[in-house]
Every structure is written in C-alpha cells, then in structure tokens.
Amino acid sequence: MKFRRVILGAVLVSLLAACTDSVDTPPPRPQFPKWQPKQPRPADRDEQAVDAALAALDFCELIDLAAYDRRKGGNPRPVTREPKVKDGRKTCTLYRDGYEDLVYVQDMDPQYTSLRNDGAVVDLGGVKAYQVETRREGMVSGCAITVPVSFRRAVKFELGMSRSKDCGLLRDFATAGAAKLPRDLVYPPGGQDNERVGACADWVSNTKGENCDPATNAQVPTGAELILAAGAADPNVECAVFRDAVKKTFGQDFEPIATQGSCYFVEPRHRLQIEAGATANGGAPGEWLADPNKIYKDHHQVSFSGNPGVTFRSKDDREFSLYVSPLGDLGKVGHVRLRISPQQERGIDDWDRSKSVSVVDAARAHAVMELVMATHFRTPR
C-alpha cells in the first residue's frame, strides 16, 4: 500500500511538471533606449550683465508720465512715483493723491519664468512682450504685461487695484516704458527669449523645454509590430504616424513636438493640446477598459478600421482618450493612443471658462484615430 502511494505521488509530480511546462510564459516586454533631444539649445544672456543692467535701472523712469497725461482725462489730481525694494527686487508704483495705486512696474523673480508661456505675445513698438488679461464673472479684472530681458528675468507692468482694468491702457504705459529699456536688454518681436526650440515654445508644460524637440520627418515602417517598436524607440515616428491626420482634422496650426515617451501636437493659442502615441511600451488597451482603480469614466469599447479600441474621459471632463490595439487584441501589450485636453488660452486668465472637452473635439479625435488606423495599420497582422 505504501509502495502504491509512492508511485501515485511520483505520477502526480510528473503530471504537474508537465502542466507547468505546457503553460505559455508571456514574452518579456521589449526594452528600448530612452530617446533624448538632439537639437542644440539656445544660449541665455550673461546673467551677471543682466543683473548689473537691472541694478542700474531706475524703475520709476519706466512709468512714463506723458502716458499718464494722455490717459488721465479731466482728472487734475497730482500723481507721484514711489520706488521700493521688495524681496531684494526693485519695484515702482504710480500713485494718485498719494494712496490710489494706478500702475506697477517690477523686476520679476526668476521662479515665475514658466508663467511667461501663459501670455499672448504682443509687440510693444518693436519690443517682444507677453500680455495676460484676467477675467472674473465675465468682467475684466486685471491686466499684466511682461517684457523678457533674459531667459529667466523680466520686467513686469501691471495695473493697480484702483484703476480701470483695461489692457489697452496698460499697453500705453508698457510701450512707453519698454522704449526706455536698453536695447541690449529687450528682445525684438519673434526673438528667442527662452530655452524652448521652435514649436516647443507652445508646449503647455512647466518645464524649460529641455526634453523637447520640434518633430522631424521620420519614416513610418510597414506593419503594426514594426510601427509600435519604432514608436517606442523614437517619438518622431509617433508624430509621423499622426501628423497628416491631426493637421487635416484639427487644423494646420497644430505642430508636432517630440518629447520623452510621447508626441504632442501644439498650437500657438494654447486652446487645445493633443498627445499621440504608437508604441510597444506601456500597457494593453484592455487595461484602460477594465480601469480597476476607477480613475476614468464613460468607458466604451469601439472599433477603428477593424481594430478594437476603447475610449474614456477623465472624471473632470478635461481629457478625452482613445486607445486602440493594432494587434487585434485588447489584451496584447502595445497600443495606438490619442489624448486631447483643452487648455487655458494664451493671454486670457479666465477662472469661469469651462475647460471640458467639447463634443466637437471628441468627434474630431475619433476621426483622427479612424484615419490613422486606416492609413498605417491595414496590412495583415
């Protein structure tokens, strides 16, 4: 009896081993070298020279009293310009009757450099500047104009709390003030005043653009697996997969940029930003359909040119995403994706404006994905 138990145990062990050997071990995910930007970065101005120029500057002289005389109307009350040093930086305020603040001008702290990307580019009589109009409850409640003097430093003009919030009014003061800045401090319209190269200047990201290049015209290989592998190694390939479809559907203003792990399509007004990818890295589309942590909403399983996919939204409606499997299986690793998200329009700080993805833009995203899948993923798998 004992001998039979031993034999039976041996048989069971051998059967379990055979079952283990027969289970398909999933292949390891492909590993690709991390893409790095290749285009040279522009050089900034000499920091010490800029510091010295700003230290020698009389900021009160930048508030032009002739501009005030043109704008004061019939108000005869006297005005004064009061200089101060705040947090180690010069500032000057134009006061009326010694208390009513009308206009500020100040040396901006470098930590606010990223905010320059929020302003609409304006021309102050041949000087490059950025303008932001603040709106609250449908009314203009403020205006600020920033004049860059290096990649990290700027002179900012802003209307005071007690003055009409008219950007046209501030433009008069800023234009007159910019004309008094040394020519080697300001930038001409279209001048390179930040580290970002080309269309990377329109990327909505609080970075210096060190991981961004304008996309190059990469060649798209034939076949789903080759495209996904090429896209994983080079975001320029991902941009090439989507370039024609995005421009045809969303407009010619959208330019592709290559970043580490994604292609983006950006436009000068910042109303909408598009992320695109075709990669063997990352998860399978089915992972977003299952969404075990319930991060998203409105999940739908759909098909694009015969390829299974899934669409969903962020819970705040500020992002709409499409993930498609060009391999014919939502469970297989590798995907083609598109994400669209509305952004704060350059030059307008509107707290009340809805940033949700519109029905029209969602329909356009569907059209882009349909065109991409029909163009690049028709070949047999």
Side-chain angles (χ1 to χ4, degrees), residues 151-171:
F151 288 2
R152 296 182 55 76
R153 301 292 292 278
V155 174
K156 182 179 180 181
F157 296 82
E158 189 168 11
L159 292 175
M161 296 296 293
S162 61
R163 186 67 178 174
S164 170
K165 308 305 180 182
D166 178 4
C167 279
L169 169 68
L170 185 63
R171 285 276 287 273

Side-chain angles (χ1 to χ4, degrees), residues 340-371:
I340 61 173
S341 56
Q343 304 292 328
Q344 176 180 301
E345 182 175 351
R346 288 192 84 161
I348 300 176
D349 180 11
D350 190 346
W351 284 18
D352 305 312
R353 182 184 175 192
S354 172
K355 303 296 192 303
S356 61
V357 177
S358 70
V359 174
V360 172
D361 283 335
R364 287 174 177 151
H366 273 267
V368 168
M369 187 62 78
E370 187 70 34
L371 186 55

